[in-house]
Amino acid sequence: MRYSKMFTKTRKEAPADSDSKNARFLAQAGFVQQLAAGVYSFLPLGLRTLRKIEAIVREEMDATGAQEITMPLLHPKALYDATGRWEKIDVLFKTEGSGSKEYALSSTAEEVITPLVQSFANSYKDFPVAVYQMRDKFRNEPRAKSGILRGREFLMKDLYSFHLTEEDFLAYYERMKEAYLNVYKRCGLDAIVAAASGGVFTEKHSHEFQVATEAGEDHIYIDRETGEAFNKEVIEEADHANEEKYEIKKAIEVGNIFPLECRFSHAFDFTVNSAEGKNIDVIMGCYGIGISRLMGSIVEVLADDDGMVWPKEVAPYHVHLVALGEDEMAQAESLYADLQDAGLEVLFDDRADASPGAKLKDADLIGCPVRILVSKKSLEAGGVEWKDRSSGESGIWDLGEAVERAAQMLVEENV
Ligand code: ATP
Ligand code: MG
């Protein structure tokens, strides 16, 4: 991509109301733009990163045997009458259609997926089933804040699993924990699995995936002896008096997995016949990842004072190629073509009207893993200057080896 052709531009100033690193840097670099509190457009650079996170989530979910679908975002009220959640979900956006028909905007999708799977899975032979989607969710959060960390419209992966035995459910639940940890790792984050109370659904524990950072609004309690983590609520239930036992960390909840038991299958009379003709219950689980929140969390955890630092798997481009002067442009042009031929994704700052300082500042702000600079100085030194955005390491590559070296760097771990 040629920077000169990108319709978005970096901005010198952060939006006045930026209350967090992700709100500031994502807006300044032109990744997102706020339309209203908690409501964002994703612009070309931001959308590339969001799609890459989606692709990671898709790969990890598919690997568990789950199948992707999309479900409508407009949910008829009657479905909520069956589960009793029309009044219970306090963040539900409600709207009226023609003929005074009432609808909710999807805040989650148990009311849709349960009857949907029920319509296909009518024999014990049809189980287990796991289905997911990646679509916007709407929640009328009282306080939208921290950029894309807490939105009123945001992107979530929601997966629902259906089982006929507790054992089968638990095996899948554990498999999902593994898949979640893979997702976060590939996004450059260490997530902590914290036990949480089951909320309105169940007496049993659910699990949250928490990324420790000062920017988080949650508090997790880590047992100093065993390393086990809990969310605050649980702690309050179970071990209230013993808080010095735990290390307390601020964290962002980037995912959540929940045993639903028969809460929703019962609401829709979803049972099936066993081989012996006996009626058996359908046990469900639900599994969410806030994809847009995850993108904001990567910024919160990895950014430095100069801007964002994207891990290679989720960076909008692998290489940020900068040509400093007019004479260097021709050299950079041919390198741009060669890097792309080698399969690398390149953002090429080919602007003629931007100062060297502005170009270098923008490269740091946007945060691609490797910057390659073609300047008079680098050419005198025999080639191009490379810089690793994350470690700050830099050096000179001969012109002839630059493509190969860049490719090597981007397939190595931890770039
Ligand atoms: P929170 O406790 O942060 O309000 P939640 O427990 O209500 O979230 P879930 O219903 O489990 O969240 O949703 C699954 C995932 O979706 C969460 O783990 C989180 O990563 C993400 N998420 C939830 N609410 C928001 C929001 N308002 N904006 C962005 N992401 C969200
Ligand atoms: Mg929560």
Side-chain angles (χ1 to χ4, degrees), residues 100-296:
S100 303
K101 278 216 154 194
E102 288 184 284
Y103 298 89
L105 298 185
S106 179
S107 71
T108 170
E110 285 83 358
E111 276 80 359
V112 179
I113 194 67
T114 310
L116 192 154
V117 169
Q118 181 180 23
S119 75
F120 290 100
N122 24 49
S123 148
Y124 69 95
K125 291 179 193 151
D126 298 326
F127 289 80
V129 176
V131 186
Y132 71 99
Q133 66 173 351
M134 292 192 256
R135 296 211 76 187
D136 277 356
K137 300 289 175 292
F138 299 88
R139 293 188 182 181
N140 197 1
E141 301 278 358
R143 221 169 301 123
K145 60 175 184 178
S146 308
I148 56 173
L149 294 186
R150 181 169 297 284
R152 296 203 168 103
E153 177 179 351
F154 58 95
L155 187 60
M156 192 205 283
K157 182 280 302 179
D158 45 327
L159 187 151
Y160 307 87
S161 73
F162 300 79
H163 310 265
L164 296 186
T165 66
E166 190 76 23
E167 275 162 311
D168 190 51
F169 163 71
L170 284 173
Y172 192 73
Y173 191 83
E174 289 305 314
R175 173 71 185 84
M176 199 51 76
K177 272 189 198 162
E178 210 180 287
Y180 270 46
L181 292 174
N182 290 344
V183 166
Y184 304 124
K185 194 160 167 229
R186 291 174 65 180
C187 289
L189 300 177
D190 282 322
I192 297 165
V193 185
S197 70
V200 294
F201 296 113
T202 163
E203 301 304 310
K204 289 204 185 145
H205 281 167
S206 61
H207 291 88
E208 294 171 351
F209 294 78
Q210 297 273 3
V211 172
T213 159
E214 274 307 303
E217 55 174 286
D218 286 10
H219 289 88
I220 50 170
Y221 289 65
I222 302 170
D223 190 313
R224 293 181 198 277
E225 241 164 59
T226 66
E228 280 178 294
F230 304 87
N231 103 345
K232 197 171 173 180
E233 225 174 36
V234 172
I235 286 293
E236 279 170 1
E237 264 171 33
D239 215 349
H240 184 43
N242 205 358
E243 283 192 9
E244 63 279 7
K245 210 178 131 182
Y246 303 99
E247 183 188 353
I248 304 172
K249 285 189 177 167
K250 287 179 94 177
I252 304 172
E253 183 196 314
V254 287
N256 200 340
I257 59 177
F258 247 90
L260 297 175
E261 302 189 344
C262 298
R263 162 87 173 81
F264 292 94
S265 52
H266 280 173
F268 290 102
D269 294 322
F270 184 14
T271 57
V272 289
N273 285 329
S274 69
E276 297 79 37
K278 277 204 331 221
N279 214 248
I280 27 181
D281 280 334
V282 175
I283 298 164
M284 289 174 58
C286 71
Y287 315 81
I289 293 182
I291 294 177
S292 44
R293 180 182 286 183
L294 181 51
M295 176 169 158

Side-chain angles (χ1 to χ4, degrees), residues 335 338-339 342 344 372 397-412:
L335 190 55
D338 294 346
L339 287 165
L344 293 168
I372 297 180
W397 286 329
D398 282 351
L399 264 179
E401 62 169 10
V403 173
E404 201 189 339
R405 292 296 201 97
Q408 264 169 13
M409 212 162 157
L410 287 154
V411 294
E412 275 171 25

